[in-house]
């Protein structure tokens, strides 16, 4: 048997019992349908502040000078450290989810479009959502589990996860309140809706 066919052996699909929905969060990666936040670690945030400071120093030096070169190397070292820390964090989070759930449901987001439209370029890039979802996809696939992507236009934020009614909610409103009596953090409410929609899609496959 060739190495390729050995590696590509059939992975049995796992029966789906445990499902979780993830709502993308700009400041902390995601909030899940259990109400848990991913919470980017503080050391990573501190590193980003340090990086910004060193980049400002670099911009004040004469391009091509020996001091500029020294500072450029300093900035590159911090950038590498930030990238490694981000990658480790995303690996850890995706590993936990793929170990604990049979299916993970996310929105099929256009990150490039979001960063341009909302002028969030830096924070979207720093968040690492794209890298996180690709880690998640292959980790789930290896175990015969599934990553379900729901339509990006699905109104997860506007829908009440309790009664299903849809209402407008401003970006500044952090709590979703419905006439049915539901009062929840908006991201948690969204994650519950994402999970429900994922279960509906799974049932129709």
């Amino acid at each position: 048997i060739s190495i390729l066919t050995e590696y590509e052996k059939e992975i049995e699909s796992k029966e789906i019992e445990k499902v979780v929905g993830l709502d993308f969060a700009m400041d902390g990666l995601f909030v899940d349908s259990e109400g848990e936040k991913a919470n980017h670690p503080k050391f990573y945030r501190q590193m980003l502040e340090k990086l910004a400071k060193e980049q400002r120093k670099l911009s004040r030096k004469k391009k091509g000078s020996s001091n500029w070169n020294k500072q450029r190397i300093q900035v590159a070292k911090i950038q590498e450290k930030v990238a490694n820390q981000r990658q480790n964090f995303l690996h850890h989070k995706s590993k936990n989810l793929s170990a604990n759930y049979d299916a993970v449901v996310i929105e099929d987001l256009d990150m490039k479009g979001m960063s341009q439209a909302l002028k969030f370029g830096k924070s979207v890039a720093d968040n690492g959502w794209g890298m996180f979802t690709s880690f998640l996809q292959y980790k789930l696939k290896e175990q015969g589990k599934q990553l379900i992507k729901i339509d990006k236009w699905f109104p997860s934020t506007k829908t009440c996860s309790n009664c299903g009614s849809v209402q407008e909610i401003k970006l500044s409103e952090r709590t979703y309140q419905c006439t049915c009596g539901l009062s929840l953090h908006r991201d948690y409410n969204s994650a519950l809706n994402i999970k429900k929609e994922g279960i509906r899609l799974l049932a129709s496959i």
Side-chain angles (χ1 to χ4, degrees), residues 80-96:
E80 190 182 0
K81 197 168 181 183
V82 168
N84 289 339
Q85 286 182 333
R86 179 201 287 134
Q87 205 163 334
N88 289 341
F89 173 71
L90 299 177
H91 265 305
H92 175 68
K93 280 289 165 196
S94 53
K95 189 180 175 185
N96 273 358

Side-chain angles (χ1 to χ4, degrees), residues 65 155 163 167 197:
S65 68
C163 72
Q167 63 181 28
E197 177 65 2

Side-chain angles (χ1 to χ4, degrees), residues 29-174:
L29 193 65
F30 66 79
V31 173
D32 70 24
S33 52
E34 304 292 313
E36 297 294 317
K37 292 181 178 181
N39 288 334
H40 262 312
K42 291 283 187 286
F43 65 75
Y44 169 74
R45 286 286 163 84
Q46 287 157 5
M47 285 298 292
L48 283 176
E49 283 165 24
K50 191 178 177 187
L51 178 61
K53 191 178 164 188
E54 295 301 326
Q55 281 173 326
R56 282 195 296 274
K57 279 188 197 172
L58 179 66
S59 67
R60 289 195 288 266
K61 296 192 186 312
K62 191 183 175 191
K63 197 170 180 178
S65 68
S66 65
N67 279 343
W68 178 84
N69 263 318
K70 277 181 201 164
Q71 188 61 26
R72 188 177 57 83
I73 291 163
Q74 180 70 9
V75 166
K77 279 181 183 171
I78 299 170
Q79 281 172 329
E80 190 182 0
K81 197 168 181 183
V82 168
N84 289 339
Q85 286 182 333
R86 179 201 287 134
Q87 205 163 334
N88 289 341
F89 173 71
L90 299 177
H91 265 305
H92 175 68
K93 280 289 165 196
S94 53
K95 189 180 175 185
N96 273 358
L97 286 163
S98 60
N100 292 318
Y101 296 98
D102 306 319
V104 179
V105 190
I106 62 169
E107 288 174 299
D108 193 5
L109 299 172
D110 171 16
M111 301 312 288
K112 200 175 178 184
M114 270 174 73
S115 63
Q116 286 166 350
L118 302 170
K119 305 280 187 287
F120 280 153
K122 272 265 167 56
S123 40
V124 167
D126 290 340
N127 188 291
W129 178 255
M131 190 187 287
F132 167 69
T133 54
S134 57
F135 286 171
L136 196 51
Q137 184 142 26
Y138 83 73
K139 285 185 171 82
L140 287 163
K141 198 175 176 183
E142 279 177 344
Q143 300 173 65
K145 297 177 175 184
Q146 292 190 55
L147 179 69
I148 310 292
K149 291 184 179 182
I150 66 168
D151 194 294
K152 65 179 173 188
W153 301 114
F154 175 73
S156 60
T157 307
K158 299 175 184 179
T159 306
C160 172
S161 58
N162 184 47
C163 72
S165 66
V166 178
Q167 63 181 28
E168 289 302 318
I169 179 165
K170 292 178 192 154
L171 208 56
S172 57
E173 291 176 62
R174 300 314 303 158

